[in-house]
Amino acid sequence: MMAATVLSQMWTRTRLWLPLCLVAVAAAVSAEQQVPLVLWSSDRDLWAPVADTHEGHITSDMQLSTYLDPALELGPRNVLLFLQDKLSIEDFTAYGGVFGNKQDSAFSNLENALDLAPSSLVLPAVDWYAVSTLTSYLQEKLGASPLHVDLATLRELKLNASLPALLLIRLPYTASSGLMAPREVLTGNDEVIGQVLSTLKSEDVPYTAALTAVRPSRVARDVAMVAGGLGRQLLQTQMAVLPVHPPVSYNETVPRILFWAQNFSVAYRDEWKDLTHLTFGIQNLNLTGSFWNDSFARLSLTYEQLFGTTVTFNFILANRFYPVSALYWFTMERLEIHSNGSVVYFNVSEVTGPSIYSFHCEYVSSLSNKGNLLVTNVPSLWEMTLQDFQIQAFNVTGEQFSYASDCAGFFSPGIWMGLLTSLFMLFIFTYGLHMILSLKTMDRFDDHKGSTISLTQIV
């Protein structure tokens, strides 16, 4: 009787806890299911700037409806939904253009469409449930059934600006273990987007387009952080602040020297100036004094009225052949700052690498807390910091950097500490093993039937 009572109580508790566990698991899973949503339209002023998409913010289904309702009511009645199997915001980071080289981007057509669109909206993280119901939501709002189309079908369709139409274009995605690499698939999808938009443009059909995915292509590493709303904070902060500007290029008949930095700042008498916006993306940047040949290169950047005078920065690099490695290596000989007839020299000999590579470093700075790669022989009133510094002066092909030789050493402080700790533990183990192997057993024992063992004391 007692056993039956206990079993009944256990079953009651199980029935109470099981739904709660299922809800918790579903919440954890849905916290991971976040996909980006990109919207753009041929009409103007459909979306106001989003104020609450801070780092880690996840757009819910209710918030998404507030973005879509004005576009569906006031915008074009032709809606394109590019639905990819898998897509994450990390795909834009990994396969988009870097260092301002948009030709490297796998989303060139999409980026061009967003640049030219009168209205656009990018939501980095949208709740999976909101995206899963997006097709039915659009169908209800437009009063039109979704039509699965491809390029051939789209060319045969005759769209009318007054009649609503919901066109669904499925785009594939394969993992790197498949037959095609993700970059190739994303590039192919981007070409499909470009061809569809080109077809609509040729027919002068107004439209509103959306790009999203059924599920993310990458899984967040820390579920607890994602559930707390911070799973994408680091990534989104980087995408929000990373400027997209082309590198400085010194050209003769072809590009010879490339220089890029995320931030370029200098200081004179502790007064700092940010030269980033005065250097990159400037058509009439003063490069007078720049020079290049196979063994020597000088990049000169001149700024008028900087700290009340004309200041010139000279990056001087040399290219030499080393028989030991049978390779040409380049070295930045020095960095010069010319102002008011005086010159300040910075030693930058650690900026070096094979000539077929470019050089990259997170910080090239005269500040001690930034690595102190810029060293002066005498005290100077000038300070300089280059963040995400990259330069190449030899074997430049087009306006793209070659593979980067990074300044980060192979043996970091953590690796050294691990190696030293492992060596110390190995020494203790070896010493202990040696002591154990040195133990010897007695070869003589007392016999109670015979005479006792006598040890002669040696004085």
Side-chain angles (χ1 to χ4, degrees), residues 301-363:
L301 306 177
T302 302
Y303 302 88
E304 305 288 343
Q305 298 302 319
L306 181 62
F307 301 108
T309 186
T310 300
V311 182
T312 300
F313 300 90
N314 288 336
F315 299 83
I316 300 175
L317 302 96
N319 187 31
R320 299 183 181 91
F321 180 78
Y322 290 87
V324 176
S325 61
L327 289 175
Y328 280 92
W329 286 65
F330 74 89
T331 303
M332 185 178 290
E333 299 286 320
R334 62 189 180 275
L335 172 60
E336 302 175 354
I337 302 180
H338 297 255
S339 64
N340 291 327
S342 63
V343 184
V344 176
Y345 298 94
F346 287 94
N347 180 10
V348 211
S349 58
E350 293 190 33
V351 177
T352 182
S355 297
I356 59 175
Y357 296 159
S358 62
F359 177 86
H360 172 266
C361 195
E362 183 179 4
Y363 284 103

Side-chain angles (χ1 to χ4, degrees), residues 50-292:
V50 182
D52 58 349
T53 55
H54 54 79
E55 296 84 9
H57 176 77
I58 301 174
T59 304
S60 64
D61 55 341
M62 297 298 295
Q63 292 173 327
L64 183 59
S65 63
T66 60
Y67 299 141
L68 294 177
D69 286 344
L72 297 177
E73 294 173 1
L74 305 176
R77 304 295 290 169
N78 295 307
V79 177
L80 303 175
L81 179 56
F82 297 96
L83 191 59
Q84 194 158 287
D85 294 338
K86 293 187 293 182
L87 184 66
S88 292
I89 195 68
E90 290 87 351
D91 290 321
F92 293 97
T93 306
Y95 305 115
V98 294
F99 303 125
N101 296 326
K102 286 194 174 184
Q103 57 268 30
D104 287 343
S105 176
F107 307 94
S108 56
N109 290 305
L110 177 61
E111 293 171 356
N112 186 55
L114 293 178
D115 291 338
L116 299 178
S119 301
S120 63
L121 179 67
V122 178
L123 301 175
V126 181
D127 183 66
W128 170 80
Y129 175 78
V131 175
S132 65
T133 59
L134 181 59
T135 304
S136 58
Y137 178 84
L138 295 175
Q139 179 179 353
E140 179 182 355
K141 288 294 182 177
L142 295 173
S145 300
L147 179 62
H148 295 260
V149 297
D150 52 16
L151 289 176
T153 307
L154 183 62
R155 294 189 180 97
E156 297 176 357
L157 287 176
K158 298 299 181 182
L159 298 177
N160 193 326
S162 60
L163 297 178
L166 176 57
L167 306 181
L168 181 61
I169 300 98
R170 296 298 298 262
L171 303 175
Y173 184 103
T174 59
S176 57
S177 59
L179 298 178
M180 297 178 63
R183 175 183 288 275
E184 298 175 0
V185 178
L186 293 173
T187 303
N189 292 346
D190 185 72
E191 292 176 358
V192 173
I193 294 176
Q195 293 174 6
V196 170
L197 298 181
S198 177
T199 302
L200 295 179
K201 184 178 180 180
S202 63
E203 298 179 1
D204 196 19
V205 177
Y207 66 91
T208 297
L211 171 65
T212 187
V214 178
R215 61 187 184 276
S217 60
R218 304 172 187 229
V219 179
R221 295 182 178 180
D222 193 343
V223 179
M225 290 186 64
V226 176
L230 298 177
R232 301 183 186 270
Q233 179 178 3
L234 193 60
L235 173 66
Q236 290 178 354
T237 302
Q238 180 183 5
M239 290 190 65
V241 302
L242 183 63
V244 179
H245 47 244
V248 172
S249 176
Y250 170 66
N251 302 329
E252 291 181 340
T253 55
V254 293
R256 296 297 189 183
I257 307 175
L258 297 179
F259 162 62
W260 193 90
Q262 180 179 333
N263 181 271
F264 180 18
S265 299
V266 296
Y268 180 71
R269 296 184 183 272
D270 296 329
E271 180 186 354
W272 284 91
K273 296 285 188 180
D274 187 356
L275 303 182
T276 308
H277 64 286
L278 300 176
T279 305
F280 304 101
I282 304 300
Q283 296 293 334
N284 56 349
L285 181 64
N286 191 347
L287 300 179
T288 303
S290 299
F291 174 80
W292 181 92

